[in-house]
Amino acid sequence: MHTILIIEDEIDIAELIRLNLERNQLHTELAHDGQTGINKAFEHLPDLIILDLMLPIKDGIAVFKELRNDNRTRSIPVLMLTAKAQVEDRIAGLEEGADDYLTKPFSPKELTLRIKSLLKRHTKSEHSSLFDCPPFKFNTSTMQLYAENELIELTATEFKLLLYLCERVDTPQNRHTLLKEVWGYHDEVNSRTLDTHMKRLRQKAGDHSHLIETVRGIGYQIISQ
Ligand code: CA
């Protein structure tokens, strides 16, 4: 059974999420402020964390950074919750490396779908093996990426996205397909997610960033070396 940690100070929203997840056979832990959230993350090592951005004591971005800086919690997928007005916050969250986000108010059904997609993505990648796409080398059991034997730290979502593109090297992948296959989205409302992830992948790829190509009017592709 998967455990989901919900870090949300609005009690009503936290309860609504909890009820929906438990109805879907997911175990939940609750925290109503940032510091308690961090403590519970270390204590329970959940399979996924739902993190509100506006939190008392320690805000969501600070909590997120602390989780990503610790080996125990680094690779736990994080879905951020943001208020509609806080566009800047949301972009900041994605640029820090959140795996997904939802804007309030959201439908509980949508949240459940996103969580299932994130969990599936994360679990699936724990059970396969090695994949080579020079100069990239993917170890899908440890979720590690090497470029010419140098380790590149990626989040679970960045890893999945780059792997998906590398498995289809030299073939442009359209935005719609990427959002659907990697995030489970069925519309393009969240296409900014894709661009921020691609931007981060380029930064992390460093000397190899030229292999990640934007294909005008289509989407992205990895070109062979
Ligand atoms: Ca809040």
Side-chain angles (χ1 to χ4, degrees), residues 115-142:
I115 285 169
K116 285 187 171 169
S117 165
L118 268 173
L119 286 172
K120 201 168 133 200
R121 203 190 304 168
H122 205 70
T123 320
K124 215 198 292 179
S125 50
E126 275 168 11
H127 297 290
S128 8
S129 49
L130 297 170
F131 178 74
D132 226 356
C133 172
F136 302 118
K137 205 168 274 187
F138 297 83
N139 183 332
T140 51
S141 40
T142 58

Side-chain angles (χ1 to χ4, degrees), residues 33-218:
D33 69 77
Q35 189 55 53
T36 308
I38 290 171
N39 298 344
K40 287 209 169 180
F42 290 148
E43 182 188 340
H44 298 285
L45 297 180
D47 298 287
L48 186 143
I49 297 170
I50 298 172
L51 177 62
D52 185 36
L53 274 187
M54 293 274 277
L55 288 170
I57 303 177
K58 202 166 250 181
D59 71 47
I61 294 286
V63 170
F64 183 76
K65 285 184 176 166
E66 214 162 304
L67 295 173
R68 283 293 199 249
N69 281 334
D70 193 290
N71 277 333
R72 291 168 293 174
T73 50
R74 173 167 294 151
S75 61
I76 298 175
V78 173
L79 184 145
M80 280 189 186
L81 297 179
T82 62
K84 199 156 202 146
Q86 304 161 288
V87 179
E88 291 310 313
D89 282 356
R90 184 169 74 210
I91 294 166
L94 281 170
E95 285 182 346
E96 291 294 336
D99 295 277
D100 201 355
Y101 71 86
L102 268 182
T103 305
K104 294 177 187 172
F106 51 83
S107 83
K109 195 179 161 205
E110 177 70 13
L111 177 71
T112 308
L113 285 173
R114 297 281 189 89
I115 285 169
K116 285 187 171 169
S117 165
L118 268 173
L119 286 172
K120 201 168 133 200
R121 203 190 304 168
H122 205 70
T123 320
K124 215 198 292 179
S125 50
E126 275 168 11
H127 297 290
S128 8
S129 49
L130 297 170
F131 178 74
D132 226 356
C133 172
F136 302 118
K137 205 168 274 187
F138 297 83
N139 183 332
T140 51
S141 40
T142 58
M143 301 266 294
Q144 283 172 320
L145 172 76
Y146 291 85
E148 278 169 357
N149 298 321
E150 200 180 307
L151 180 65
I152 298 178
E153 297 265 6
L154 297 182
T155 66
T157 304
E158 290 162 3
F159 186 89
K160 164 92 194 241
L161 178 58
L162 186 63
L163 179 62
Y164 187 89
L165 287 165
C166 281
E167 283 170 341
R168 293 152 184 86
V169 72
D170 292 322
T171 315
Q173 298 301 309
N174 75 50
R175 308 175 58 83
H176 183 75
T177 306
L178 290 170
L179 286 164
K180 184 163 163 269
E181 294 299 324
V182 180
W183 281 269
Y185 291 163
H186 293 282
D187 54 53
E188 291 210 26
V189 189
N190 299 288
S191 63
R192 181 151 212 153
T193 308
L194 174 61
D195 297 316
T196 50
H197 275 78
M198 292 307 299
K199 187 175 149 200
R200 263 203 324 274
L201 273 178
R202 283 203 175 103
Q203 285 164 354
K204 292 185 175 180
D207 292 346
H208 310 290
S209 61
H210 63 284
L211 300 174
I212 304 172
E213 273 196 355
T214 302
V215 186
R216 251 175 189 285
I218 300 179

